[in-house]
Amino acid sequence: MMSLAARSGAFSPYMQATAFVVPGPLKSLIPGVVVKGETILVDPKKPFLCRESLSGQSPKTGPAVTVCINGCAGVRFAHTDIRIPDYSDYRRPEVQDPQKSSQDSSESRRTFSYLVTGAATVMGVYSAKTVVSQFVSSMSASADVLAMSKIQIKLSEIPEGNNMTFKWRGKPLFVRHRTEKEIATETAVNLSELRDPEHDKDRVKDPAWVIVLGVCTHLGCVPIANAGEFGGYYCPCHGSHYDASGRIRKGPAPLNLEVPFYEFLDEDTVVVG
C-alpha cells in the first residue's frame, strides 16, 4: 500500500531524504488478482515521473500532499470560492470608495466623534448625579421624623420661677423662666470656680429663659428641676448639682447641661430644633 503524508511544501527540499515507501498496517480481505494485459512500451524521450523529474517543477509553498514521492501533488494558493461579506451599510459614506484616501474626510469624522463623545459624557454625568441624589435623598429623614425634630413652645404658659419639661426628639427638654434674682446670681458667678467654665450670657439668648436638655452629662440620668445646693437642677442618681444656668457645680458630672439650638419667633413663642 502507499502511504499519504500532508505537510508544507516549503520544507520539501529539506525532507526529501526522509520520504520512504513503507507497507501499511492494513491487510486486504480479498487477495488481489493480477490481470495480464497488453505490453506497454516506454517512450525513452518522455521524462519519467520520478522524484528527480518533479523536484523543482511543482510549487513549494502552501499545504501540499505527497504521494509516496517528494514531489508536490497539489497546492492551493487562494480561496476564490469564499464570498466576502459586504460591509458598505456599516461604513460611513466618506470612506466607502476604496480608491479615495480616508484622510480627506478625517476632520469631519473626528468632529462627529467628538460631538458624540461629549454628548455621551454629559448624559453620563447627569445620570450619575441623578442616581447619587436619589440615593442620598433615600437616606434622609422622612417627613414625620422632620416634623418631630422641632417643637414650638408657648412661653406664656410657664410662670416665673418655674421649670417645665417637654419631650423633644425622645429626650426631656427643660425650659426655665428665671427670676431677676436668679439672673443676677448666675451672672455674678466667678468662672474660675466652674468645672466647665461658661458664662451665663453665652448659654442664653434671653436672660429670662434657660433652655437645656434634661440629660445628666455623667451617665444620662434625668435631673430634678428646682433642686440641689445651687437651686438649679439635681441628679439624684450620683449626686450631680447644677445651677439655674445648667452649669455643673458639684458632683461627678464633667460638663454642663447641653443647650440645644432654638430661636424666638416672638416674645411669647420659641422654636427648639
Side-chain angles (χ1 to χ4, degrees), residues 48-66:
F48 291 100
L49 183 61
C50 61
R51 184 176 66 183
E52 286 74 13
S53 62
L54 291 178
S55 179
Q57 298 182 13
S58 55
K60 297 296 184 181
T61 59
V65 178
T66 301

Side-chain angles (χ1 to χ4, degrees), residues 29-46:
L29 300 178
I30 302 176
V33 179
V34 179
V35 180
K36 295 182 179 180
E38 300 179 356
T39 302
I40 301 176
L41 299 178
V42 179
D43 187 1
K45 296 182 179 180
K46 185 176 181 180

Side-chain angles (χ1 to χ4, degrees), residues 185-195 197 199 247 249:
T185 301
E186 303 306 331
T187 305
V189 172
N190 187 2
L191 298 182
S192 61
E193 301 176 359
L194 301 178
R195 181 178 304 171
H199 200 279
R247 297 173 294 189
R249 303 296 294 273

